[in-house]
Amino acid sequence: MAQAAATKVQAASTKVLSDSDCLSCHNLKASAKLQARPVSVYVNAETFQPSIHAKLGCNSCHSDIHAFPHPDPVRPVSCAGCHSSQTAAFAGSVHAIAEREKKSRFPACLNCHGNPHGMRAKTDPKSRVYPLNLPRTCGTCHGNPEIAKKYGFPDVYALYMDSIHGFALTSDGLLVAATCASCHGAHDILSRKDPKSRTFRNNVPATCGGCHAGVQVDYLAGAHGTAMMAGRPNAPVCTNCHTAHQITQVNVVNWQLKTVATCGNCHKKRLYTYRDTFHGQVTELGFVATARCWSCHGSHLILRASNLNSKVAPANLPATCGKCHHGATASFVSYEPHPNPHDRRQNPALYYAALFMNLLLLGVFLFFGLHTAMWLARSLMDKGQGARRPPATSAKKDDGVKR
């Protein structure tokens, strides 16, 4: 009888375990603290069944477990068994470097994808990496002030959510809107200082061009793109003008009013001379319906004035100015759009006219200042002499009448 019992136990130990066998023990209630762990011995069958791993079966990941009772602790599961390319890409990323510092015994994949027993496909709206959910997933770290301070990056989650990309995704529900992975990649996320990074300065136009293809073509054909491809370190790319995360809709008034200062970050002399013009002064007053940098030079296809296709080429100026000033002629556009009264060689007439007006203004102030000072001194002298003069007395005439 004892031999029969031993045979029965041995048969049970050699039985190939099914998912139902595993869940007969692991589908048990556990404390909230235990369930909150990245990986728990508690497996909720209702969550596991619709997961992407359910169709693979428990033994696909826990390949060292063949029978019950199984060894405890079990061998850690490696995601690389199925996801070798993603694991290799992740190994050189900034996240892998940070993960090695943590020395966690759980796979780093779970930080983004969640518990493996409830993990959904990226096309599933309930997945943590579904486009609508991805910013919130990345925001668990990139919206955490302590982590941001530790690694030296701003609260990019809040900036993104307030941007046109964030609004398009969360408010309008557009799955084609750019998410974190659209710009940074999914697994091979590198530092922006790494030449291989999608956010490296020279790679930014191609990254943004993944969605804004037409803009990329115009940018590369323009003066900015040409300078960037020529290796000029100060050539602007998309993020210089639009920022990286806090990208605002271009037809918003506040953004349009700030574009002059944005261009002025590189074109300081042009900014100074623009602000002296009528266009610049009314812009400073907050008027939107006036010409700013991009009104004349274009937004992305910005060409030098010597280029015949440029909007500011002499032959094209009547058409460019004519967008606001209807009927503009060659005579109308012959004025200097960026006059500099301090540059005698470039604008000699303006230089001497400004010098004359400044000297005249200075002379008027000096003359009237001297006149006021002398008038004040004379007034004080008259007042002092009046104080020292004895008061006048009037003698009473004696008319002989006894009072």
Side-chain angles (χ1 to χ4, degrees):
M1 185 174 182
Q3 184 177 4
T7 303
K8 186 176 181 180
V9 171
Q10 183 178 5
S13 64
T14 57
K15 175 186 175 182
V16 177
L17 296 178
S18 64
D19 290 353
S20 59
D21 293 330
C22 297
L23 292 174
S24 64
C25 290
H26 289 278
N27 186 26
L28 300 175
K29 291 186 177 180
S31 65
K33 181 178 180 181
L34 186 61
Q35 294 182 44
R37 297 176 63 186
V39 180
S40 171
V41 295
Y42 169 77
V43 179
N44 189 330
E46 295 180 359
T47 304
F48 175 71
Q49 292 301 334
S51 73
I52 194 171
H53 288 151
K55 60 183 179 181
L56 300 177
C58 304
N59 289 118
S60 298
C61 296
H62 301 281
S63 56
D64 59 321
I65 299 177
H66 304 289
F68 179 81
H70 58 71
D72 187 25
V74 298
R75 188 174 64 193
V77 174
S78 173
C79 301
C82 296
H83 308 283
S84 57
S85 60
Q86 291 87 345
T87 304
F90 175 81
S93 69
V94 292
H95 288 156
I97 297 173
E99 192 66 23
R100 285 193 285 269
E101 295 179 1
K102 290 172 55 178
K103 297 180 180 179
S104 173
R105 66 187 185 91
F106 299 113
C109 319
L110 308 186
N111 294 333
C112 299
H113 293 277
N115 193 303
H117 300 126
M119 192 178 298
R120 302 293 186 101
K122 65 180 181 179
T123 55
D124 190 320
K126 293 184 178 181
S127 170
R128 288 166 54 93
V129 294
Y130 185 67
L132 294 180
N133 304 327
L134 185 60
R136 189 184 308 111
T137 299
C138 298
T140 56
C141 291
H142 293 276
N144 187 317
E146 295 182 1
I147 296 179
K149 182 178 180 180
K150 178 180 178 181
Y151 292 101
F153 54 75
D155 185 356
V156 294
Y157 173 69
L159 297 178
Y160 170 83
M161 294 302 289
D162 288 337
S163 72
I164 186 174
H165 291 155
F167 273 110
L169 186 72
T170 58
S171 299
D172 300 331
L174 298 177
L175 297 180
V176 295
T179 63
C180 316
S182 304
C183 302
H184 296 276
H187 299 96
D188 54 340
I189 301 176
L190 305 174
S191 168
R192 60 185 176 86
K193 299 178 181 179
D194 191 322
K196 295 180 181 179
S197 171
R198 292 164 59 91
T199 56
F200 182 67
R201 178 181 166 277
N202 287 4
N203 299 334
V204 166
T207 299
C208 298
C211 295
H212 305 279
V215 173
Q216 182 189 8
V217 172
D218 287 346
Y219 167 81
L220 293 177
H224 291 159
T226 303
M228 186 275 294
M229 291 187 292
R232 290 183 56 181
N234 60 341
V237 295
C238 315
T239 50
N240 291 106
C241 302
H242 296 279
T243 73
H245 297 97
Q246 199 174 9
I247 303 174
T248 308
Q249 192 171 354
V250 296
N251 59 2
V252 174
V253 173
N254 289 337
W255 187 87
Q256 292 185 4
L257 293 176
K258 292 178 181 178
T259 53
V260 174
T262 301
C263 298
N265 289 331
C266 296
H267 305 282
K268 299 185 185 301
K269 291 183 178 180
R270 292 296 187 182
L271 173 64
Y272 175 77
T273 56
Y274 169 82
R275 284 179 170 168
D276 280 343
T277 65
F278 172 80
H279 292 154
Q281 291 175 9
V282 295
T283 296
E284 289 294 312
L285 293 175
F287 287 89
V288 180
T290 186
R292 283 175 288 278
C293 312
W294 48 270
S295 305
C296 302
H297 296 275
S299 301
H300 300 100
L301 185 59
I302 302 173
L303 303 172
R304 295 183 179 276
S306 57
N307 190 312
L308 297 179
N309 295 321
S310 173
K311 297 180 66 175
V312 293
N316 300 331
L317 277 177
T320 300
C321 298
K323 290 186 299 182
C324 298
H325 305 279
H326 301 290
T329 62
S331 177
F332 178 85
V333 302
S334 61
Y335 77 104
E336 173 58 51
H338 289 278
N340 187 356
H342 304 289
D343 192 335
R344 182 174 59 182
R345 184 174 58 179
Q346 180 182 359
N347 305 108
L350 179 62
Y351 172 82
Y352 286 110
L355 178 62
F356 170 76
M357 293 302 297
N358 290 334
L359 291 176
L360 178 62
L361 182 64
L362 180 62
V364 170
F365 275 104
L366 287 176
F367 175 78
F368 281 101
L370 180 61
H371 180 272
T372 303
M374 294 176 67
W375 188 275
L376 177 62
R378 177 60 183 271
S379 300
L380 294 175
M381 289 175 61
D382 289 347
K383 186 176 181 181
Q385 291 176 0
R388 291 193 296 272
R389 185 181 300 122
T393 57
S394 58
K396 291 183 180 180
K397 187 177 181 180
D398 189 0
D399 53 6
V401 180
K402 187 177 182 179
R403 304 289 182 183

